Amino acid sequence: MAVLAVGCIPMSNQSVQGQMLVDLDARKATSAASTTWVSQGTLGNFEMQGAPTLETVAGVKAYTFHGGTDAFIGPASTADLEAAHARTIEVWAYNPTISAEETVVAWGKRGGPNGSNMSFNYGNNGSYGAVGHWGTDLGWGSIVPAAGAWHYLVFTYDGSVSKVYDNGELASSRTLALATHPGFSINIGAQNDAGGIPQAALSATMSIAVVRIQASALTADQIAQNFAKDAGAFQGVHMTLDKTLVIGGKGSITSFADYANIPNVAIRRLPVDAYKSSDTGVITVSTNGVMTAVSAGTATITLSYQGKQDTQTV
């Protein structure tokens, strides 16, 4: 099977229908010590609360939120994102373990009345796991986006219907009337409580690489196009191999690329330095993925492919 090409598509190639108010991309962050997440959108930058960490997750640089007070607090929403105005939220998120309601992006505030909160979630609750509007919520439908993988998640509202998409495909929708509270901060990883203060409850325990917010509803075709343009950058790799060998014994490694919506693509032609052993006195590995057990002990085998890595212990 031929190796699929992997490339990072610049954000300028995205299908932008309306004004891009928020445009955050952790892959462009230059310093892990910075407490500011720079936005290329028109509303301004986001400031760190708590201790999100900039790290590489399944081959992609992202901010990891650890729950509690971890969040990025942005500028206040504008009229284009409030009341019943149309809007789109696009995110690339990686959630290792999914709970009922984990906040990805939010503004407005909790506490009512119905339709006045705006919280885009990555949770598994059937009623509010995808979106919390207060009283008129939305789940992900029959299939919650799987844990342990990068997903392109999208929320749109066209003035009458809320929709959520997973990897370019419509997951669920609901006709409802929004009346989003005006003037409260846009947050990454936390909702505003009834007093308008970002709260620790319902916070994110996941990694987020990209957030884009605009004041219009993207069409299904535009969402599919944006997914296709971004997907290659969020591919991961993994190996299957023998975890236990007898001394002198051999074992083979099979490597796969996991592309969005195209998982488990076998990689047949790897570069000669793709495999490495952390201790060649215990395990050696050849250029074609054959392991040999040299002595008793453990060693970590690393696969590196097109900027992505997988490590496993033998």
Side-chain angles (χ1 to χ4, degrees):
M1 182 179 294
V3 176
L4 298 182
V6 178
C8 179
I9 304 300
M11 292 300 102
S12 60
N13 283 347
Q14 295 301 317
S15 297
V16 178
Q17 183 177 347
Q19 183 184 38
M20 189 65 74
L21 302 177
V22 174
D23 188 355
L24 300 168
D25 191 339
R27 298 171 297 172
K28 300 177 181 178
T30 57
S31 172
S34 176
T35 59
T36 299
W37 194 352
V38 176
S39 173
Q40 301 301 314
T42 61
L43 290 187
N45 298 329
F46 286 64
E47 298 300 326
M48 184 181 293
Q49 173 180 282
T53 52
L54 183 64
E55 54 191 68
T56 298
V57 179
V60 178
K61 188 159 65 171
Y63 280 105
T64 295
F65 300 77
H66 310 282
T69 60
D70 281 7
F72 274 91
I73 310 304
S77 63
T78 63
D80 287 341
L81 298 175
E82 298 162 353
H85 287 284
R87 63 203 73 172
T88 295
I89 305 170
E90 301 172 272
V91 303
W92 277 93
Y94 182 103
N95 198 344
T97 305
I98 303 171
S99 58
E101 182 178 3
E102 294 186 57
T103 306
V104 184
V105 181
W107 61 90
K109 68 183 181 73
R110 297 172 60 81
N114 287 356
S116 59
N117 190 36
M118 178 65 248
S119 177
F120 188 28
N121 306 322
Y122 188 171
N124 58 19
N125 183 276
S127 297
Y128 48 76
V131 188
H133 291 311
W134 197 269
T136 53
D137 305 325
L138 189 63
W140 282 105
S142 59
I143 302 177
V144 176
W150 282 104
H151 288 266
Y152 171 63
L153 306 178
V154 179
F155 164 83
T156 67
Y157 182 68
D158 63 4
S160 62
V161 181
S162 281
K163 299 178 181 179
V164 290
Y165 296 78
D166 174 23
N167 287 347
E169 297 182 359
L170 181 65
S172 65
S173 64
R174 181 178 180 182
T175 299
L176 48 83
L178 292 190
T180 309
H181 281 300
F184 295 97
S185 63
I186 302 171
N187 309 321
I188 313 302
Q191 296 183 41
N192 293 317
D193 65 16
I197 305 301
Q199 62 172 349
L202 310 178
S203 56
T205 54
M206 70 182 78
S207 299
I208 300 172
V210 172
V211 178
R212 296 189 292 264
I213 303 172
Q214 57 184 285
S216 60
L218 290 180
T219 66
D221 284 346
Q222 289 174 316
I223 291 167
Q225 290 169 15
N226 283 358
F227 169 64
K229 290 173 181 176
D230 261 353
F234 291 88
Q235 143 268 350
V237 294
H238 71 273
M239 300 177 283
T240 61
L241 46 75
D242 298 318
K243 298 296 184 67
T244 303
L245 298 173
V246 298
I247 296 174
K250 296 183 182 296
S252 62
I253 305 174
T254 304
S255 297
F256 301 89
D258 295 320
Y259 297 85
N261 276 355
I262 318 174
N264 297 318
V265 178
I267 306 172
R268 301 303 188 198
R269 296 188 295 275
L270 285 163
V272 295
D273 59 349
Y275 296 114
K276 293 188 183 301
S277 170
S278 65
D279 190 342
T280 56
V282 175
I283 298 284
T284 62
V285 58
S286 69
T287 57
N288 62 351
V290 176
M291 300 180 296
T292 302
V294 178
S295 64
T298 60
T300 299
I301 307 301
T302 299
L303 163 67
S304 299
Y305 176 67
Q306 297 201 7
K308 311 300 190 295
Q309 287 189 337
D310 183 29
T311 58
Q312 296 196 35
T313 299
V314 179

